[in-house]
Amino acid sequence: MAETPGRTILETVKQYGTRLSRFIRGQVKSDEDAEDILQDVWYQLARVVDLDGIESISGWLFQVARNRITDTYRKKKDDSLSDLMGDEDEDDYRFRDILLADAETPEDQFFKDIFWEELMKALNELPENQRVVFIQNELEDRTLQEIADAAGENLKTIISRKRYAVQHLRKRLQRLYNELDNL
């Protein structure tokens, strides 16, 4: 649908209000949170000086809504992400606990979706041999010895690849951990 020039806030609310409200309600626990987020989105829209300057009003509205949902989720997150991820010095860095756990709430699912997306980007930055070892060990639950045997590699080589992968992922995902840990 093409955006029309001379758009007003009232027209935008009428056109997108119901869809945006349904989207937000599907992402948060309570109607109160959904209403607060929706009001924040409309408030942000009201602060925009030139609505015609927004190339895709629907894209803008949904991005603002996603950002507010993330903010709300961060504020309400009971468990500290650092508790889930373990100490930095811990050798057994278990991503699986987060990635494969059942999402009990829409917020949990939203977090998992963000985490999976960022993890996949970070994994794609790794050399293939490190990426394969990490995926097989962490996500496929294969032991490092099994991986070494299957690849015909020395166990110490596989351990080293896993360690380098974990170090890269920790560094690469630290910003996300910090945001979700309210640091």
Side-chain angles (χ1 to χ4, degrees):
M1 172 186 272
E3 306 290 345
T4 58
R7 174 179 300 281
T8 68
I9 292 174
L10 184 57
E11 291 168 345
T12 303
V13 171
K14 284 180 182 178
Q15 184 175 358
Y16 296 102
T18 302
R19 247 179 62 210
L20 191 60
S21 179
R22 276 193 227 126
F23 168 76
I24 295 168
R25 286 182 197 279
Q27 300 294 320
V28 298
K29 282 185 191 177
S30 71
D31 289 344
E32 293 80 19
D33 287 343
E35 285 298 320
D36 289 345
I37 291 168
L38 185 61
Q39 290 304 314
D40 285 344
V41 172
W42 297 137
Y43 175 74
Q44 292 296 324
L45 182 67
R47 294 182 58 203
V48 173
V49 176
D50 178 21
L51 292 182
D52 294 329
I54 299 174
E55 187 173 316
S56 169
I57 196 78
S58 63
W60 186 93
L61 289 169
F62 281 87
Q63 184 60 51
V64 171
R66 279 189 289 277
N67 291 346
R68 288 295 298 126
I69 291 165
T70 301
D71 292 345
T72 299
Y73 175 69
R74 281 186 216 142
K75 289 176 189 169
K76 293 191 176 199
K77 186 73 178 147
D78 294 330
D79 294 326
S80 165
L81 183 61
S82 60
D83 292 343
L84 293 173
M85 298 310 294
D87 292 337
E88 289 261 342
D89 297 331
E90 189 177 304
D91 285 338
D92 193 15
Y93 196 66
R94 307 312 278 187
F95 289 91
R96 199 177 25 236
D97 295 341
I98 292 175
L99 297 176
L100 302 180
D102 291 333
E104 295 177 10
T105 66
E107 289 86 357
D108 290 344
Q109 186 60 51
F110 187 69
F111 166 70
K112 280 180 59 175
D113 291 345
I114 291 171
F115 196 88
W116 269 108
E117 182 179 324
E118 291 301 314
L119 177 62
M120 291 300 113
K121 288 178 191 174
L123 282 171
N124 285 331
E125 297 168 357
L126 289 171
E128 184 177 359
N129 59 5
Q130 292 175 18
R131 180 175 52 249
V132 168
V133 168
F134 181 85
I135 290 170
Q136 289 178 345
N137 181 243
E138 288 295 330
L139 303 179
E140 296 174 4
D141 206 20
R142 294 180 64 193
T143 67
L144 294 174
Q145 185 64 60
E146 290 172 337
I147 297 166
D149 292 345
E153 298 272 358
N154 184 305
L155 177 60
K156 288 184 180 189
T157 301
I158 299 301
I159 291 170
S160 179
R161 288 178 185 165
K162 167 78 184 292
R163 183 79 177 147
Y164 285 125
V166 168
Q167 288 173 344
H168 171 76
L169 295 171
R170 277 186 182 152
K171 182 178 180 183
R172 176 69 166 68
L173 299 173
Q174 188 63 47
R175 179 191 57 79
L176 179 63
Y177 300 151
N178 291 345
E179 286 178 12
L180 293 171
D181 214 14
N182 284 324
L183 294 179

